[in-house]
Amino acid sequence: MTGIPFPDISPEAFSVTVFGFHLALRWYALAYIVGILIGWRISVAALKRPHLWAGGTSPMTPPQLEALLTWIIIGIIAGGRLGYVLLYRPVHYLQHPWEIPALWEGGMAFHGGLIGVLLAITIFSWREGLPLGGVADAIALASPPAILLGRIANFINAELWGRPTSLPWGVTFPGEAAQDCPGVVGTCFRHPSQLYEAGLEGLLLGVLLIVLAFRGGALRRPWLLTGTFLLGYGVSRFLVEFVRQPDAQFVSPGNPLGLALHWNGWGLTMGQTLTIPLLLAGVLLILWARRPRLVRA
């Protein structure tokens, strides 16, 4: 088997030692900071073009979007962490509750972060009297850059790698766990599933949303862009799960594929199972946005 050696990239973008304390900015944190800033500028560009939106009016002003970003960041952190705690390691954190705030040790769930963002958008829109559909579409448009850079950071961290593969672009991820591949003799090469997700959920979906928003008139139909985002992310994540290594807590001798749902000999991983509601919500929102509208005489 041949593949690609894992690149020698430190998880820390840069670090300093101050009074004996090691302070570092990791690529993972930097990825989300830069991704949110890029997404913010894309949404601002759309908000400054009222003709793109329903009724020729933007759903909020750029300053309101800036205020909403604070809510969204809190939603991402709180929702992502609690989602990981409840969905992935509830027993562990029930026994060690003091570890829940330890974000620096890792452990975030996209689905939990998404719920946190949706709650933040809903509460903010209600407080400010803003149209929820338009606000949600603006945030959906801004989301892919953070996903793209976040998945690249996952690759740099050598985490969330894929299943073993003999394809020429398989990567030799470091660590005993990554090299523990039953039935594989010698070096174990794995799918760089983080990069698959970066390309599908981040780059491809991001380009699609930008084209729909600025050229396709999607923003004139509230919820259409949000539904497209949910459906696009759901399809991408569902497909990548076929080659992504399940999280360790879902793998056991009796469940080596980390399956969460079984029927008639078929099974879905936990990632695919959690993605089903996103797929359904995406389809329903698209249908709702494209429903025939009554025209009053």
Side-chain angles (χ1 to χ4, degrees):
M1 294 175 61
T2 59
I4 302 173
F6 187 77
D8 185 17
I9 304 177
S10 172
E12 298 178 354
F14 65 86
S15 61
V16 295
T17 300
V18 180
F19 301 114
F21 292 96
H22 181 74
L23 305 176
L25 177 62
R26 299 177 67 88
W27 287 109
Y28 191 79
L30 186 60
Y32 276 99
I33 293 172
V34 174
I36 289 173
L37 290 177
I38 294 174
W40 165 56
R41 295 310 305 171
I42 293 174
S43 286
V44 167
L47 292 174
K48 288 183 176 180
R49 293 167 171 79
H51 65 277
L52 295 176
W53 303 86
T57 304
S58 301
M60 59 181 166
T61 64
Q64 287 175 318
L65 175 61
E66 293 178 18
L68 175 57
L69 284 180
T70 302
W71 290 65
I72 288 176
I73 292 172
I74 295 174
I76 291 174
I77 296 174
R81 184 58 171 176
L82 290 177
Y84 179 80
V85 169
L86 298 175
L87 296 174
Y88 289 87
R89 304 186 68 188
V91 176
H92 173 82
Y93 287 105
L94 182 63
Q95 298 173 346
H96 307 84
W98 56 89
E99 295 183 5
I100 294 177
L103 296 173
W104 54 90
E105 295 182 358
M108 297 283 283
F110 173 85
H111 299 84
L114 177 61
I115 293 175
V117 170
L118 292 177
L119 287 175
I121 293 173
T122 301
I123 296 173
F124 184 85
S125 299
W126 174 73
R127 283 170 54 94
E128 298 293 324
L130 302 175
L132 182 56
V135 174
D137 287 343
I139 300 305
L141 179 62
S143 299
I147 296 176
L148 167 63
L149 297 179
R151 292 308 185 191
I152 293 176
N154 288 143
F155 179 80
I156 294 175
N157 288 345
E159 60 189 2
L160 306 182
W161 17 259
R163 303 178 194 270
T165 180
S166 58
L167 293 172
W169 57 82
V171 176
T172 56
F173 289 98
E176 294 183 5
Q179 289 300 308
D180 182 15
C181 303
V184 176
V185 179
T187 303
C188 179
F189 298 93
R190 292 180 176 274
H191 284 282
S193 55
Q194 316 96 323
L195 300 183
Y196 298 168
E197 291 191 69
L200 292 173
E201 305 162 5
L203 183 59
L204 183 60
L205 181 56
V207 170
L208 174 62
L209 294 182
I210 289 175
V211 171
L212 289 176
F214 289 91
R215 297 293 182 184
L219 293 175
R220 297 190 187 95
R221 291 180 174 270
W223 295 108
L224 180 56
L225 218 62
T226 302
T228 303
F229 169 77
L230 294 177
L231 181 60
Y233 177 89
V235 170
S236 301
R237 178 64 182 270
F238 195 93
L239 293 176
V240 173
E241 281 289 323
F242 286 110
V243 297
R244 175 173 166 170
Q245 180 69 26
D247 295 275
Q249 58 269 27
F250 300 126
V251 177
S252 65
N255 187 17
L257 298 181
L259 301 180
L261 290 180
H262 306 256
W263 66 91
N264 296 329
W266 293 85
L268 298 180
T269 67
M270 177 60 77
Q272 290 172 323
T273 302
L274 295 176
T275 298
I276 291 176
L278 300 186
L279 294 169
L280 295 176
V283 171
L284 291 175
L285 287 177
I286 291 174
L287 293 176
W288 172 261
R290 295 183 61 83
R291 72 193 186 280
R293 301 183 181 183
L294 297 177
V295 179
R296 297 182 180 180

